[in-house]
Amino acid sequence: ASLTALANASTCFALSSMLVPTVVKAFGPITVDCSNPKAKVKTIAQGLAQTPTAGPATLLVSGTCHENVTIQNYQYLTIQGNPTATIDGGSDINFDAVDITYSREVTLNDLTVSGGGDGIVCGSASVCRANNLTVEGTLDTGIVVGADAYFRINRSTLQENAVAGLWLVFDAGADLFGRTVQDNGLAANGLGIVVDSGSRLRITNDFETSTVP
């Protein structure tokens, strides 16, 4: 073939390659059964270890998971109750039940989160989403959003957490859509929601809030 023909063919190939859309294939889902010691995957940590960080990926979780979940550098990850599940972060205030950092589009659906220092921390410029959560009985704050992170919290209840239900700090952002923040602040004179250090909060729909008297 002539050099001209090869050049033309290379140009056509390059142009056609540029026009082909990128298809991202979803991974999973991975089934996590925290209530069954004989299950193939018995903890969320084990499920995450099998999940590519680039996503999209889904963990279908059932039972009560006694663990502290760390989600770091993930994209398009969904942790879905199957049909519901509980993450119990334990009784050590130094460890959060769920800690999300440097991640984009992490979604938590149909879960109860309890125990741990904070229930859920969404930080380090992460983008987090939640639907139908109950975050209760933590040793500090139910949900903390910080360090340029954003959290969209939909139809969720934050209750009976020791310091506050929701705390935004260091240029964080959050949207609350419906449900309740109630009976928080047992250890801090009744803090329901705290918006601090340049953070932004938008509240919409049938949202209710109350603190411990």
Side-chain angles (χ1 to χ4, degrees):
S2 67
L3 292 176
T4 301
L6 288 173
N8 290 337
S10 298
T11 301
C12 291
F13 176 77
L15 290 174
S16 63
S17 298
M18 293 172 61
L19 295 175
V20 175
T22 300
V23 177
V24 179
K25 184 178 180 180
F27 181 85
I30 292 177
T31 299
V32 179
D33 188 350
C34 294
S35 63
N36 182 4
K38 296 183 179 180
K40 182 177 180 180
V41 182
K42 296 181 283 294
T43 67
I44 295 172
Q46 289 176 344
L48 290 172
Q50 300 178 26
T51 303
T53 57
T58 299
L59 302 185
L60 299 177
V61 184
S62 59
T64 298
C65 305
H66 298 278
E67 57 183 312
N68 305 99
V69 178
T70 298
I71 299 170
Q72 186 173 14
N73 294 319
Y74 278 83
Q75 297 184 57
Y76 300 101
L77 172 69
T78 298
I79 298 180
Q80 172 73 53
N82 185 29
T84 61
T86 296
I87 300 173
D88 182 353
S91 58
D92 190 337
I93 197 171
N94 296 302
F95 296 94
D96 303 320
V98 180
D99 202 350
I100 304 167
T101 57
Y102 303 107
S103 297
R104 309 288 290 180
E105 298 298 339
V106 174
T107 302
L108 309 175
N109 294 331
D110 302 312
L111 300 170
T112 295
V113 178
S114 62
D118 298 317
I120 302 170
V121 175
C122 177
S124 303
S126 296
V127 176
C128 308
R129 302 182 188 276
N131 300 286
N132 299 316
L133 289 191
T134 298
V135 184
E136 61 187 6
T138 69
L139 301 174
D140 200 314
T141 298
I143 294 178
V144 176
V145 190
D148 296 305
Y150 168 77
F151 208 144
R152 186 185 191 277
I153 305 166
N154 182 49
R155 308 298 299 175
S156 296
T157 297
L158 315 180
Q159 63 185 8
E160 300 175 0
N161 299 289
V163 174
L166 173 66
W167 200 305
L168 277 64
V169 67
F170 301 132
D171 298 310
D175 287 320
L176 285 177
F177 294 90
R179 288 289 174 89
T180 304
V181 176
Q182 65 182 9
D183 299 333
N184 296 284
L186 295 171
N189 298 320
L191 297 177
I193 298 173
V194 180
V195 182
D196 198 5
S197 303
S199 298
R200 303 158 303 283
L201 173 65
R202 182 174 62 173
I203 299 174
T204 60
N205 294 343
D206 55 334
F207 182 82
E208 300 177 3
T209 183
S210 64
T211 57
V212 175

